[in-house]
Amino acid sequence: MDLKLQALTPLSLSGSRAQPAGREDLRQAAEGFESLFLTQLLKAGRAGLPGGDLLGSSGVDTARDMLDMELAKSSAGRAGLGIADAIERQFAPLVRDGKS
């Protein structure tokens, strides 16, 4: 049995990651992050409510989680929090324009 060992080549940081295709992808990713943040915020707020639910069941909990996700998705980028805008400003210099 022949065993061949090859040296590993180090990855360069500039070439190892895929670059976003453009500003539209960056905006979509930023709004996705804001949506995730809002979902977690709503979930934590609901967890802090006192008392039990009269109709408490796993189905009600699942429906409530889905409602929270949809509320967060629809308000991401429009809620005025500015998280998506800040992320877009932070990463804009790293994104190539589709023009070049």
Side-chain angles (χ1 to χ4, degrees):
M1 177 163 88
D2 284 337
L3 181 64
K4 295 182 180 182
L5 299 177
Q6 296 178 353
L8 296 175
T9 57
L11 295 174
S12 68
L13 290 178
S14 62
S16 64
R17 290 184 272 183
Q19 294 290 326
R23 303 256 181 217
E24 296 83 21
D25 289 342
L26 176 61
R27 184 65 191 182
Q28 184 178 3
E31 287 182 4
F33 181 80
E34 186 170 358
S35 172
L36 178 67
F37 178 79
L38 288 171
T39 301
Q40 293 300 315
L41 187 69
L42 289 169
K43 190 180 291 188
R46 287 198 193 276
L49 292 176
D53 189 8
L54 292 176
L55 302 173
S57 70
S58 63
V60 171
D61 293 340
T62 301
R64 191 174 291 139
D65 287 344
M66 289 174 26
L67 174 66
D68 289 346
M69 286 191 318
E70 286 303 314
L71 284 172
K73 196 184 303 182
S74 67
S75 61
R78 295 177 212 55
L81 294 176
I83 295 171
D85 296 332
I87 290 172
E88 190 174 11
R89 275 193 312 271
Q90 180 72 30
F91 289 102
L94 303 173
V95 175
R96 292 179 294 183
D97 283 334
K99 299 173 186 173
S100 46

